[in-house]
Amino acid sequence: MKFPEPFYYSNIRLLWLARFFASAGSFFQFVVIGWLTYEYTQSRFLTSLSWGAGALASVVSAPIGGFAADRWERQKVIVYVFLIKSICVFIFAYLVISNNFNTASIFIFLLSIGFIQSLAAPSDFSLIPLLVPSRRNIIFGAYAIVGSAYFVGHFSIPYFAGLILQVIGPGWTLIGEFILFLIAVFIYYNIKTIVPQTRVINYNLKENYLELVGYLKTNRLLQGAILLRTTVNILVVPSVHGLLPIYSADIFSTGADGYGLLFAILGIGGFFSDFSLSIFVNYVKKGTLLFFYLTFVFVSMYAFSLSQTLNIGLISLFFLNFGLISTLTIGRSLLGSEVPDKLRGRFGGIFNLTNVLSVFGALFAGVLAENYSVVTATQVCCIIVLILVIIIFACFPTLRRLE
C-alpha cells in the first residue's frame, strides 16, 4: 500500500503524533467543560457560550502569536505555549476536584486557555511548509495528513472521556488532559525543520501587520478563503458542535457517554475527510473539492437538526464533519502554498483571529436555543450560511477556479 507522499517525511510523522496527543487532550476538555457547564448552570445559553468563550481572548493573543511565529522558531513557541497551557489545566482540575469552582471560574479558565492557545496557533499553522519540499500538492497533502491526527483524537477520545467522566468525575478527567499535553510537548520538542525559517527584521508590531495588509489587498484568493472560514466559524460550529450537550440531553436523552459518542462521530467524519482530501488533491481541482465538501455541510447540517434519534444524529454528524473539515483544511493549506514564509505567522494570526467571531455565532445560537429550540437555532444558521457561501463564491471566482 502506498501512503500519500508527505507521510514518508519523518517530521510529518512526528507532527502527526504531536497533533494527536494535543487533540486528545483538547477533547478531554471539550467533553468535561460542555457537560460540566450544562450540569452546573442548567442554562442553554451559557452552555452554547462556553463553546466560543475561549476564542474571545484571541482578539489580543492571535496578533501577538502571529508576530511570534515570524520572529522566533515556531517549534519552540509551540513547546512553551503548551507547557503554560498544561499548568492552567492542572490548576483548574484541582479547583474542580476540591469543589472550589463556579460559573465564573469556568469562563475564566476558558478565556485563559483561549488566550494561550492563540499564541501557538499561528506557529502551528505555518510550521508544515518548513517540514516538506515547497510543492503545492505536497503541502496540501501534508496539511490534510497532519489534520487527520486531530480527528483520530476526535473519534477515539470523546466517548472514552465521557465514560471516564461518569466514573471518576470532571476534575480527574482533566488530569488526563494535563498528561496528554505533556506528551505532546515532548514530541513537538523533537521535530526538526528541513527548510530554514525566514524571520522578520522589524520589531514594530504595527508596521509588520501593515505589511501583511498590503499583501492581502492584492490577493483575492486569500480574501475569499478568510471570508469562507469566518462564515463557517460563526454559523456552523456554534450551532452544531456548541449545542451538542443540549441535543444529547434534551433531544436524544443520553448521558455523558452519549455526548462523548456524538463528539467521537464528528472525529470519524473529520478523519475520513482529511484522508480523502490527501488523496483527491492530486486528481481533482481544489475549487471542485470545495463545492463537493460544502454540499455535504449544508445537507447534513439540516438533516441533523431534524434528527429525533441518536442513530440518525450520528450519521448526520459524520457527513457534516466530512464536509466541514476539508473545507477548513483547504483554507489552511493556502497558508502554506500561497503565503511567503516571512508572512506566514502573521497570516496565521489573522486566520486564527476569525475564531473570535465564533463568539457572536455562539451568542446568536444560544439566544435562539434559549428562546425557541436547539432545532430552530441550527436550522436558521444553516440557511444563513448557505446564502453567505453562495455570495462568497460569486464574488471570489478564484475560489471556484482553484487548481
Side-chain angles (χ1 to χ4, degrees), residues 19 31 114 160 215 254 272 286 336 347:
R19 285 275 188 91
V31 170
F160 178 62
Y215 176 77
T254 64
F272 280 101
K286 297 166 188 65
F347 185 80

Side-chain angles (χ1 to χ4, degrees), residues 338-356:
E338 305 298 321
V339 182
D341 184 59
K342 69 173 185 175
L343 294 173
R344 278 193 195 119
R346 283 162 286 169
F347 185 80
I350 295 297
F351 228 51
N352 195 52
L353 198 58
T354 62
N355 293 336
V356 176

